[in-house]
Amino acid sequence: MNLTETDTSLFQRLRFVLVETSHPGNIGAAARAIKTMGFGRLILVNPRFDDALSHPEAIAFASGALDVLESAQIVGSVEQAVSGCNFVAAVSARLREFSPPILDPRAFASRIAAPEEGEVALLFGSERYGLPNQIVMNCQVLINIPANPVYSSLNLAQAVQLLAYESRMAADVKQGGNSHIGFHGQLASTEQVEGMYAHLEQALVAIDFLDPDNPKKLMPRIKRLLSRTELETEEVNILRGISKKILDRLKK
């Protein structure tokens, strides 16, 4: 079965987010990369150039993908770019001590192929600095592309192309009849999960389990722990309910 960008599947749910991109040519090349794989949702977070979408280099490198370039969004924060997403993944060659679970591109694509996974965002950092630790830590997974350890540097558009390809292949398999076995609830959105973490942190402070003046790395560890579970909306509600009960009991 041939899939196109008009299918109501992963092709509609997956957004490619470029964070603080420095070179307009890479933006155009990224637009071309995702269109060749049937995708079309491109979001830019604070690109270096104000005319990033109309810059001559961006147009030249888009080479036939001007529709993707013209429909791309420019936003002022990563939070805006991933608003409404149920699953957010950071792409980075650099591993972090407190990163979320690490997946390779194929494992990531397989994981998000099912429609019940909801809205998905792929974050790519700037060409020079990559993604800040705080952004990576707030993602559900970190995608690390296996490459030559001696020279693992990939051009931004090349990384986008690779992830778009693997996502297309996973979508092809899903359309070919693979079924999802067992109950799977609706994944919680990024906003729901972040709200839950804030609520949980309040409760932990209230019972003196977390010292706000010396928090160490408790919350990053909890985030890493829970990010492995693919939190569903009902599960987030349960954890918020527990936090609320703790806070209510302490008020009595």
Side-chain angles (χ1 to χ4, degrees), residues 60-138:
F61 278 84
S63 184
L66 286 179
D67 54 335
V68 174
L69 202 59
E70 291 168 355
S71 63
Q73 297 174 262
I74 296 180
V75 298
S77 69
V78 170
E79 289 76 16
Q80 288 176 280
V82 304
S83 177
C85 283
N86 305 94
F87 195 83
V88 181
V91 181
S92 176
R94 182 166 58 90
L95 303 180
R96 276 80 164 177
E97 181 184 2
F98 288 99
S99 79
I102 300 169
L103 296 179
D104 63 33
R106 191 159 299 173
F108 160 78
S110 176
R111 184 163 168 176
I112 64 168
E116 56 265 34
E117 295 297 326
E119 289 281 316
V120 182
L122 263 173
L123 305 185
F124 298 83
S126 70
E127 299 90 333
R128 191 171 178 184
Y129 301 110
L131 289 168
N133 289 337
Q134 187 62 42
I135 290 176
V136 173
M137 191 173 67
N138 288 333

Side-chain angles (χ1 to χ4, degrees), residues 10 128 165:
L10 184 59
R128 191 171 178 184
Y165 167 77

Side-chain angles (χ1 to χ4, degrees), residues 206-240:
I207 63 173
D208 295 325
F209 189 82
L210 172 62
D211 181 357
D213 296 322
N214 186 29
K216 298 183 179 178
K217 295 179 179 178
L218 178 63
M219 289 311 297
R221 287 186 183 279
I222 290 176
K223 287 185 177 184
R224 183 170 67 174
L225 167 68
L226 294 178
S227 68
R228 295 197 291 267
T229 67
E230 295 187 77
L231 286 168
E232 299 172 4
T233 300
E234 285 300 318
E235 293 164 343
V236 165
N237 290 339
I238 289 170
L239 290 171
R240 294 204 68 159

Side-chain angles (χ1 to χ4, degrees), residues 142-170:
L142 185 149
I143 300 172
N144 186 255
I145 299 172
N148 180 359
V150 179
Y151 185 69
S152 60
S153 177
L154 277 176
N155 171 267
L156 173 60
Q158 291 173 332
V160 171
Q161 182 76 79
L162 195 154
L163 267 298
Y165 167 77
E166 291 291 353
S167 297
R168 179 180 180 85
M169 293 301 292

Side-chain angles (χ1 to χ4, degrees), residues 172-201:
D172 266 321
V173 169
K174 183 58 63 176
Q175 288 289 330
N178 282 11
S179 59
H180 184 76
I181 299 173
F183 175 77
H184 196 306
Q186 177 64 48
L187 284 180
S189 69
T190 302
E191 290 88 349
Q192 289 172 323
V193 172
E194 287 304 310
M196 178 271 293
Y197 282 134
H199 205 168
L200 179 60
E201 185 172 359

